[in-house]
Amino acid sequence: DLLEPGGSEALPVRWDARRGFFVPGLSTATLRDVQDAFHVVRQGTHSRTVGSHQLNKDSSRSHSILTVHVESTSPQQGGHP
């Protein structure tokens, strides 16, 4: 979990026909705007492990899955326009 401090344990990626790819028990973040999203992506990027080998000096040793769930409200329901 790249958003969890000290989270170096490999996590299983699962597939579900309804949900698509997912990882059980990952951290979630509530975002209000694009700047919040950039902050979370930067935080995850800093937590990634990078190593090297003969064919690629910046080989990534981690993969990431970013899932975005969008909720919205209409102005008639008390949301902001």
Side-chain angles (χ1 to χ4, degrees):
D1 188 336
L2 296 176
L3 298 181
E4 191 63 35
S8 61
E9 172 184 329
L11 300 173
V13 176
R14 304 280 188 233
W15 168 258
D16 178 78
R18 184 179 60 81
R19 295 172 66 185
F21 287 104
F22 71 100
V23 178
L26 282 183
S27 300
T28 60
T30 301
L31 311 174
R32 302 207 183 277
D33 56 32
V34 173
Q35 292 305 319
D36 286 351
F38 286 146
H39 174 76
V40 169
V41 170
R42 273 193 304 273
Q43 181 181 355
T45 299
H46 289 300
S47 298
R48 293 182 73 212
T49 302
V50 176
S52 65
H53 57 77
Q54 290 179 332
L55 298 176
N56 186 345
K57 70 179 184 88
D58 295 318
S59 177
S60 172
R61 298 292 184 213
S62 65
H63 302 276
S64 60
I65 295 176
L66 172 66
T67 304
V68 178
H69 299 272
V70 177
E71 294 182 18
S72 64
T73 58
S74 69
Q76 295 82 14
Q77 295 175 333
H80 298 287

